[in-house]
Amino acid sequence: MPSILLVEEDVALREQRYDLLTTHGFSVITAHSGEQAMEVLKHERPDLILANGQLSDIPACEFTDRIRAFDTNLPILLLGLVQETRQRPLAPNTQGFLARNISNDALVKEVRRCLKAPE
């Protein structure tokens, strides 16, 4: 069962996406901040990170760089517009950006694509 680290500050959105992803057969670990996600990554190795692209505690570029410092292949999928990427690109293997209000079906499809998991 593929595992996902879901990083989202909005409690209601985090719970909704947790329910959606677990219903579709994914194992989901949640974090409410970038720093908490970094702590989780010290002990867990998910197959994908699905994160809010506008975390209040860590800029997206720094977040992806810190992950790449210890895992160069872990796919990262960011949700929402990331303003800072215009000045500085994200770390390699950042899978891309999705609209923060993406439909449930589109989100699951994109997660499966990143994980190369069957429908």
Side-chain angles (χ1 to χ4, degrees):
M1 172 183 328
S3 63
I4 299 167
L5 173 57
L6 174 62
V7 187
E8 177 56 61
E9 295 169 323
D10 181 306
V11 175
L13 190 55
R14 185 172 65 238
E15 289 175 356
Q16 184 266 331
R17 289 195 169 136
Y18 174 89
D19 291 343
L20 171 70
L21 294 166
T22 56
T23 298
H24 283 273
F26 298 102
S27 172
V28 181
I29 306 160
T30 62
H32 61 79
S33 69
E35 288 299 338
Q36 185 185 31
M38 299 311 295
E39 285 299 313
V40 168
L41 290 171
K42 290 180 181 177
H43 309 286
E44 303 282 341
R45 197 56 78 223
D47 299 304
L48 170 72
I49 295 176
L50 179 62
N52 178 340
Q54 297 175 310
L55 296 169
S56 61
D57 64 334
I58 303 177
C61 290
E62 181 182 335
F63 182 66
T64 59
D65 286 348
R66 287 174 65 183
I67 293 166
R68 289 291 162 256
F70 63 87
D71 191 327
T72 57
N73 297 314
L74 179 60
I76 304 167
L77 195 55
L78 298 175
L79 296 165
L81 179 64
V82 182
Q83 297 284 348
E84 67 198 76
T85 59
R86 292 185 184 138
Q87 290 84 33
R88 180 175 167 222
L90 293 170
N93 206 31
T94 301
Q95 300 302 307
F97 307 101
L98 299 175
R100 195 151 155 73
N101 62 349
I102 188 170
S103 73
N104 289 343
D105 290 342
L107 178 61
V108 170
K109 183 177 180 179
E110 191 64 20
V111 165
R112 284 192 171 124
R113 184 191 66 77
C114 287
L115 293 170
K116 296 171 182 60
E119 292 294 323

